[in-house]
Amino acid sequence: ACNHFAWASWQPERDAETLLSLMDKSGMGWTRDEILWKNFELTKGDYKILPINESALDIAKKYGIKQLLILAYGNELYTGTTAHIPSTTTQINAFCNYARQFVADTKDRVKYYEIWNEPNTSGAFNDGDDGTNYGNLVKAVYPVIKEENPDAYVMGYSATGLNKVTDKA
């Protein structure tokens, strides 16, 4: 189940205990969620998991539900928008710092991480980007995650649909 507790500010009725207990009772063993970079680092260098996310992490662990957490999206503090994949050295380094702290704060409850979600969707591949920025981000972030948690499983390029491919030759 994909719970999207990160969007709880838009849907305050989300209740981690109720949703995760229902998952447990139904036999679901996995959940997928994100802790958005923009919510995790509200000011540069200051990292904190929102209470709804912290609660969901603890409750899922209590029920023995495995979690896949997504290192999700940009942060206006660095990228100007949440849609664009970090592409400059400064942006990539900032994303790596987010990833390092994110994994440090969750590794006692999580060992499955995904780098970005559906990077091929509109806006995620920066205008004119052919996927190079995403590839560069993965190359930079993967070793940071493994350094912080050597037992982590790291996934990437969870695509949605297929973009039109053209031959420019």
Side-chain angles (χ1 to χ4, degrees):
C2 192
N3 292 314
H4 294 301
F5 290 116
W7 309 107
S9 62
W10 298 347
Q11 299 171 323
E13 72 279 0
R14 286 188 185 254
D15 172 26
E17 178 66 42
T18 300
L19 289 173
L20 292 165
S21 69
L22 287 171
M23 287 179 59
D24 179 56
K25 290 174 187 167
S26 70
M28 290 183 182
W30 282 86
T31 185
R32 178 176 172 266
D33 208 343
E34 62 280 302
I35 297 177
L36 302 174
W37 182 16
K38 71 175 190 168
N39 291 344
F40 187 67
E41 185 180 7
L42 297 174
T43 57
K44 287 186 177 185
D46 185 22
Y47 304 100
K48 184 171 178 168
I49 297 175
L50 294 176
I52 183 70
N53 295 117
E54 195 72 66
S55 176
L57 289 166
D58 290 339
I59 294 165
K61 183 179 179 181
K62 174 178 84 172
Y63 287 116
I65 296 171
K66 293 178 183 167
Q67 302 175 76
L68 168 61
L69 291 183
I70 306 166
L71 296 156
Y73 311 127
N75 186 323
E76 292 93 342
L77 298 172
Y78 302 96
T79 57
T81 175
T82 58
H84 285 189
I85 293 170
S87 58
T88 69
T89 300
T90 300
Q91 292 170 353
I92 290 171
N93 288 341
F95 193 93
C96 286
N97 291 336
Y98 149 65
R100 182 180 317 282
Q101 191 62 53
F102 180 95
V103 173
D105 289 353
T106 60
K107 69 183 176 185
D108 63 325
R109 298 165 281 185
V110 178
K111 69 178 187 177
Y112 303 93
Y113 299 91
E114 179 182 343
I115 301 171
W116 211 270
N117 178 50
E118 300 169 353
N120 66 319
T121 58
S122 176
F125 278 172
N126 300 350
D127 296 331
D129 180 25
D130 61 0
T132 300
N133 289 335
Y134 180 71
N136 290 337
L137 183 67
V138 170
K139 285 184 218 173
V141 174
Y142 177 84
V144 168
I145 295 170
K146 293 299 279 185
E147 180 182 311
E148 191 61 44
N149 182 357
D151 296 327
Y153 292 87
V154 184
M155 297 166 232
Y157 200 71
S158 168
T160 181
L162 296 174
N163 293 349
K164 181 178 178 183
V165 177
T166 59
D167 186 321
K168 297 180 183 180

